Amino acid sequence: MSSKGCITLLVEQGMDDLLKEIADKWGADAVRNSDGTELPDCVGDLGMEVYSTLSLTRADQDWAREHEDELTQKFLMSSPVTAFGDTVTVNIMQGWSDQQFRPDARETSRKWYEVWDRTAGKRVPEEKWNYDAENTTVTITGAEKYHVYTVSFLAYQIWDTTSMYNYVTNNWTGEHVRPMDPNQPATREHLKEFLNEWLDKNPQTDVVRFTSLAYHFTNNFDQIDGKLVNRYRDWIGYHDCTSALALEQFEKEYGYALVPEDIVRAGTMSDVNSVPTKKYRDWMDFIQRTVADIAREWVDIVHAKGRKTMMFYCDHHIGSEPYGRYFPSIGLDAIVNPCMSGVELRRIADIPVDIVKEVRLYPYFFPVNLEGKPNFPDGDPVGDCQKYWKGIRRAMVQNPADRIGFGGYLSLAVTRQDFMDYVAVLAEEFRTIKDTAKQYKKYMAPFKVGILNAWGKIRSWIDDDINDWTKPYRGGVQECLSGMNVELAFLSFDEVLEDGIPSDIDVIINMGDAYTSWSGGEYWKDEKLVGMIREFVHNGGGLIGIGDPTAYQYEGHFFQLFDVLGVDREMGPSKSTARWPFEPVKEHFLLEDGAVKEEMTHKKDGVFINTMGTDVILADEFNVLMAANTYGKGRGLYMTDLKYSDENVRLLLRALYWAAGKENELKKWYSENLNVECTAFPEAGRFIVLNNSRTEQDTVIWNAEGKTVELTLRPFESRWVDIGLFE
Amino acid sequence: MSSKGCITLLVEQGMDDLLKEIADKWGADAVRNSDGTELPDCVGDLGMEVYSTLSLTRADQDWAREHEDELTQKFLMSSPVTAFGDTVTVNIMQGWSDQQFRPDARETSRKWYEVWDRTAGKRVPEEKWNYDAENTTVTITGAEKYHVYTVSFLAYQIWDTTSMYNYVTNNWTGEHVRPMDPNQPATREHLKEFLNEWLDKNPQTDVVRFTSLAYHFTNNFDQIDGKLVNRYRDWIGYHDCTSALALEQFEKEYGYALVPEDIVRAGTMSDVNSVPTKKYRDWMDFIQRTVADIAREWVDIVHAKGRKTMMFYCDHHIGSEPYGRYFPSIGLDAIVNPCMSGVELRRIADIPVDIVKEVRLYPYFFPVNLEGKPNFPDGDPVGDCQKYWKGIRRAMVQNPADRIGFGGYLSLAVTRQDFMDYVAVLAEEFRTIKDTAKQYKKYMAPFKVGILNAWGKIRSWIDDDINDWTKPYRGGVQECLSGMNVELAFLSFDEVLEDGIPSDIDVIINMGDAYTSWSGGEYWKDEKLVGMIREFVHNGGGLIGIGDPTAYQYEGHFFQLFDVLGVDREMGPSKSTARWPFEPVKEHFLLEDGAVKEEMTHKKDGVFINTMGTDVILADEFNVLMAANTYGKGRGLYMTDLKYSDENVRLLLRALYWAAGKENELKKWYSENLNVECTAFPEAGRFIVLNNSRTEQDTVIWNAEGKTVELTLRPFESRWVDIGLFE
């Protein structure tokens, strides 16, 4: 049932002889170059599709050099400066690299400068400050002594972020690449012409692989002793799109003007982790439309020349989120992303648009791997590959991508025959999964789960791990979910407030740190929202809260749905309240697999049970770590944290069945051994069993009718089994 | 240089023969009984002062039984109840023990009932609810579905808290003791008569030992399956004083009425850990005056009969805080408290009134110790005693109490000769310390430290450990300070805002969890306060922040004095901001003793350096745990936590010298070995050296002129040494 194909090879010059052999071995049916590498001349002879990388916004550096006023822009906030007298001078570029930024000194852009007294929380009137463009300083007169001042201003980004990254990380040299803003009318026209010409110059190209579209994610640097130091990085931040032009276009369309503080928000820069304001959500919507309009022109041009388009979902993807409202209108033919986890696989595979979806697997064919350890030729590239593939494979079973690929120097990969052999196996494994999982419906848990946060669909398969500089990245709940036979939806508070909880949702998950966009912050002060969720659970729904669910200190409670969850959290001010004594229960559905044993990595202190009716599942001496509560006909369940592990996948699965009140249905297409997962495709007459561990595993598989079979799986094996085995 | 005396013996009946011998051995010069035990008849013959315990508010239970309307009262809040329809009934006693409480059902007390919609954050108008006194239920009509309601109400406490404690903990039985409110006019008059008669009936009593005065600290119980379960305990909570009468008296005096919510505050009950409102501070002041007026009458009666008065500083001490404004006016002759730490010693010894100060040491002469382990006759009472004495002894050197004592059954103590012998040694050690430390000035560090929180003096030697149900008690910064040669002041935000930072303060410490009265919460939004402290440090002062200093999420910062401290903390919403890279410094004054190695027990996650100019002293992979910063002429220093240990005492000492800019003066009356401390009394010509460890220690002691001597100390030894040794 396997097939060849569906693999893209990043090729390089100078190994023409080997290309055909490798393509045959792996079943590759397309080749591509990367930014900075050229396709070999032989590509036309290989009989494969040719993908060519193109980053339009930095493609024509001659144009960029001549149109410095059309580089991308963004708001920056100066480092805070304390007034020690009644006059204070702020060097607005203090804290920012002048290699990366240049203040927009145009007289007409002065309105995009704002001075704030952060101690008083007040905007300083224009008449009290003066900008000296030559020295990039703002001088404030009549300052309040010992108050802290900041200046927000519009800057040009004069060095492209990816180019900077390559300088900093890969020691690239040469002229700094300048990033063009394709929203500027002259540049916009020019890029279209450029694209037309480029297509003519590259006749071998079948697919234009845009890396990516209009605006890079945010990555702002300072420099210290000449060394670039990262100051702000938001993989999904809407900053590089913030030109004076866009701000004016926005005002015209929306009937109100944004001010710098709407984006800057006291230096937090409307972080994706902060609860978005209505204005910021308007701004996002505006940018998405703007980007879609620009990108559609490019796609049309490519199509007019009989070629196809692909978007690299990274780097310049801001405004082109595939879950956004306007993405379908762009008309792309394919999308590709770098992928090291089940979450990243689903982020591509679940895109609700019928385009080709490709993922770029790891390791990169580089001398060192992502952890900086030896890779090719002296490392363990097979082990490295499997480490990522473990999560991706689980997710592929749920929803496969259409294609896979690898990146880096093929000449390095060939130094390791074991790796070359393994990729052939992996490719075959991928194709067999894809063939069945694309074509047939699978057995799914008898409930649907909604993940509720401030973002909803637009941030599908994204969580608060994405940009966290304060903790180790660990993969969490979404990674567990990515490979489970569970139907998911991503819900936003606004959507729920407006349209109600979708009627097909059985269990809601709210998770994240307090006061973030993920947990929800001030949304939980909304009596309508808490009322809706109380009603939902009271009528039989389930609420799973992880971390600081429904958290907002208000009216004596931190978890606003303390009554539903059965727990609340003490943040300090009422530490005198004696908390109900608790004793973890000895028996509970959640405990039955022995899966509740994983260390809780990001434990929340001070969680206590709200009533004696709450069952404590896990606790340390002072804190409840997991608890289960009944609320009307429904259930509430709290967990302090959940990182991705085989044990926690099982624990979460049990938690979902319990929250949905469907405990009795757990053992359908179920593996007794939690290192093994299985998914059935009844119409195809087969099921797949995944050994997620690196050791041999025995397990018992239950089918939907309660029959069992025993299986033994080789380390890391995936096996397709005929459903007839149960007869 | 020692003396006999200064020891109080808790005696019992039936061991008359031994009493004189024990008194001689220990040097005891006073005897006392406890609540529940009687003095033996022989006390008159011992030639010692006789202390007799008297708790007036529960002394006459016949009167209490006949005046049920004059029992103490307090506000309670019902457990929250969710409305599932538009009518909801709340049993206001749900969550509270009816053995402890009875709602005040008087028609005139109905105004002290309040119904709150906690979901909307709104008081429910009277016309929408009805109280059924018989069933103790409130029925709300026109309720909002899925909103949570609470009822606040005034209740009588019908069972005295200490009596309850003895039932619950010591299995006492018998009639429940009723607590009288001495503020009720009839009771007030009656208690005076009772006291007069009691004095006549107890002619052997030299000192009336009140246990304590008017109002017990808060300790509220529920009962579950008949078992009493603690719900709220605030050792310093102003609740048991809250009668309808007192509330009316308050209104008359202050010109405004309190409402239940002013105390209840959504069920947090104006916890001592929450930032106090102006109204609550008014209420405290009013209660302090009320208690002083009542107690003064009692003291006058005792004095009129030629006897003396002593207050047990525990149990019924609310309103009689010895650091309060009105305490001196009571006219007490002595005060005593239970004491297991240096903090508790200083809490007594530092009382700014010239009265006799006694501490009751541990262990209690009970079969089990405070940890529930065997004590007499089978445990390690000497080791137990030394465990507490270690901290107390350090503090005694700084400021000694006048007397010590023990409690429990003397008949148990005599079962252990080693303990009887050790107490004789300890008593002698105490007396030699007291004799010098009371009489002579000691060498002090060349700076003065102010501890800044919302309470100031009134909560001297009290910190956020006092009522914390969420963490292990560990003793912290104040315990370290209690034995250091450092002058201290307790400052409140209000006082500083009104009068400025006292001119003799060199270093300010602000510490505690965020949003508590200790750290300060919303005070840190006050631009005047942050301005004053910036100015103080900029001009040369020191700021030491521990835990969540100056914390209040506002204008992009969590630590509002981020610039002074050199660090800030990420609470979640701006996790995308890349934080400055940090590398702990290899050399620093703070590190010189090797004392920076203690585990930080209550670590704060997400602390980062605010500028590259901050020196990181200690860190884990993601978080700064300790940092030092220069700010103008002054310094800021951050620590995530500091529990009491020999290492941390030294670390804090270094921190103080560094923050004060006096590093060069550290090595004056200084022990190189950090398990040893020394304090010099130059005018007495001697210094004391304490070995705080249980092992022999070698050390080098520096005098103020830089001369050194080597000493070897026995385990746990304290030794007086002649200053002439340095000649």
Side-chain angles (χ1 to χ4, degrees), chain A residues 541-597:
Chain A
L543 174 66
I544 297 181
I546 303 173
D548 286 324
T550 78
Y552 188 86
Q553 191 76 53
Y554 178 59
E555 287 290 326
H557 296 281
F558 188 63
F559 295 162
Q560 286 300 312
L561 289 173
F562 62 95
D563 52 340
V564 176
L565 295 166
V567 295
D568 202 344
R569 187 175 173 207
E570 174 57 58
M571 296 303 284
S574 30
K575 286 189 288 190
S576 301
T577 300
R579 302 310 181 181
W580 293 112
F582 59 81
E583 183 76 44
V585 295
K586 299 273 178 285
E587 286 183 17
H588 196 283
F589 175 76
L590 289 164
L591 294 165
E592 281 172 26
D593 270 313
V596 182
K597 62 184 182 192

Side-chain angles (χ1 to χ4, degrees), chain B residues 115-142:
Chain B
V115 179
W116 277 78
D117 175 341
R118 296 294 178 190
T119 304
K122 287 184 190 138
R123 193 175 183 273
V124 177
E126 280 82 357
E127 54 275 20
K128 293 187 79 176
W129 59 269
N130 229 305
Y131 180 55
D132 172 350
E134 197 174 335
N135 296 304
T136 71
T137 54
V138 161
T139 299
I140 303 151
T141 50

Side-chain angles (χ1 to χ4, degrees), chain B residues 120 134 248 313 399 408 519 529 629 638 653 712:
Chain B
E134 197 174 335
E248 278 152 18
Y313 181 20
N399 193 9
S519 167
L529 180 68
N629 186 47
Y638 174 77
L653 187 72
T712 298

Side-chain angles (χ1 to χ4, degrees), chain A residues 534 538 563 631, chain B residues 78-92 115-119 124 128-132 136-151:
Chain A
R534 281 199 179 105
H538 200 251
D563 52 340
Y631 185 83
Chain B
S78 72
S79 291
V81 170
T82 306
F84 295 115
D86 57 12
T87 297
V88 60
T89 296
V90 178
N91 183 341
I92 64 172
V115 179
W116 277 78
D117 175 341
R118 296 294 178 190
T119 304
V124 177
K128 293 187 79 176
W129 59 269
N130 229 305
Y131 180 55
D132 172 350
T136 71
T137 54
V138 161
T139 299
I140 303 151
T141 50
E144 298 283 338
K145 241 177 141 179
Y146 296 107
H147 280 213
V148 165
Y149 292 87
T150 63
V151 180

